[in-house]
């Protein structure tokens, strides 16, 4: 299901796969500082704005430097939050409908199974 779900956002694909498996309430694990950043300010969400990928990369580099002491904590702390309601399935965004992408994804999955 993961390799053939037609949505270019892998996180929405994981949600689609997980929805039937989980009951409410949902819980989420949130880091105090992210480990993954979106620097792609070019493309379909740009809507006529200038494309400046180096500017985005420089901003992330500065943030990484500023928060460098938070990367490898000696102790992890659990802070209970608000339970999340069961998410509803959103429409697929497309962009992952090519059979070659599906085959490539399946070959990678097979290599690790």
């Amino acid at each position: 299901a993961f390799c053939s779900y037609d949505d270019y956002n892998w996180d929405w694909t994981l949600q689609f796969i997980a929805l039937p498996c989980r009951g409410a309430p949902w819980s989420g694990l949130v880091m105090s500082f992210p480990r993954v950043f979106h620097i792609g300010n070019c493309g379909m969400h740009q809507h006529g704005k200038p494309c400046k990928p180096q500017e985005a990369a420089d901003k992330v580099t500065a943030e990484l430097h500023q928060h460098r002491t938070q990367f490898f904590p000696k102790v992890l702390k659990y802070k209970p939050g608000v339970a999340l309601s069961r998410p509803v399935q959103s429409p697929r965004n497309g962009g992952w409908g090519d059979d070659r992408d599906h085959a490539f994804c399946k070959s990678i999955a097979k290599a690790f199974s």
Side-chain angles (χ1 to χ4, degrees), residues 48-70:
K49 298 176 188 170
C51 177
K52 299 179 181 179
Q54 188 59 51
E55 190 176 289
D58 291 345
K59 182 179 176 184
V60 168
T61 300
E63 287 185 43
L64 290 171
H65 182 74
Q66 180 183 352
H67 297 284
R68 66 187 177 277
T69 60
Q70 297 177 3

Side-chain angles (χ1 to χ4, degrees), residues 2-4 96 100-110:
F2 179 83
C3 289
S4 57
W96 191 258
R100 294 170 294 182
D101 291 329
H102 299 174
F104 181 61
C105 179
K106 289 174 184 176
S107 72
I108 293 170
K110 185 176 182 182

Side-chain angles (χ1 to χ4, degrees), residues 2-106:
F2 179 83
C3 289
S4 57
Y5 186 73
D6 189 15
D7 195 317
Y8 66 91
N9 291 302
W10 63 268
D11 50 345
W12 287 107
T13 302
L14 288 175
Q15 179 176 301
F16 166 78
I17 292 169
L19 266 174
C21 303
R22 297 281 320 258
W26 279 53
S27 296
L29 179 63
V30 180
M31 299 293 137
S32 60
F33 185 73
R35 273 41 176 187
V36 178
F37 299 87
H38 180 75
I39 61 169
N41 66 354
C42 304
M44 70 179 289
H45 299 296
Q46 204 52 20
H47 303 292
K49 298 176 188 170
C51 177
K52 299 179 181 179
Q54 188 59 51
E55 190 176 289
D58 291 345
K59 182 179 176 184
V60 168
T61 300
E63 287 185 43
L64 290 171
H65 182 74
Q66 180 183 352
H67 297 284
R68 66 187 177 277
T69 60
Q70 297 177 3
F71 289 135
F72 302 102
K74 295 189 185 319
V75 177
L76 294 177
K77 298 175 186 172
Y78 173 74
K79 179 181 174 184
V82 177
L84 305 172
S85 61
R86 184 182 171 104
V88 295
Q89 185 59 48
S90 64
R92 298 176 188 193
N93 290 303
W96 191 258
D98 192 308
D99 290 336
R100 294 170 294 182
D101 291 329
H102 299 174
F104 181 61
C105 179
K106 289 174 184 176

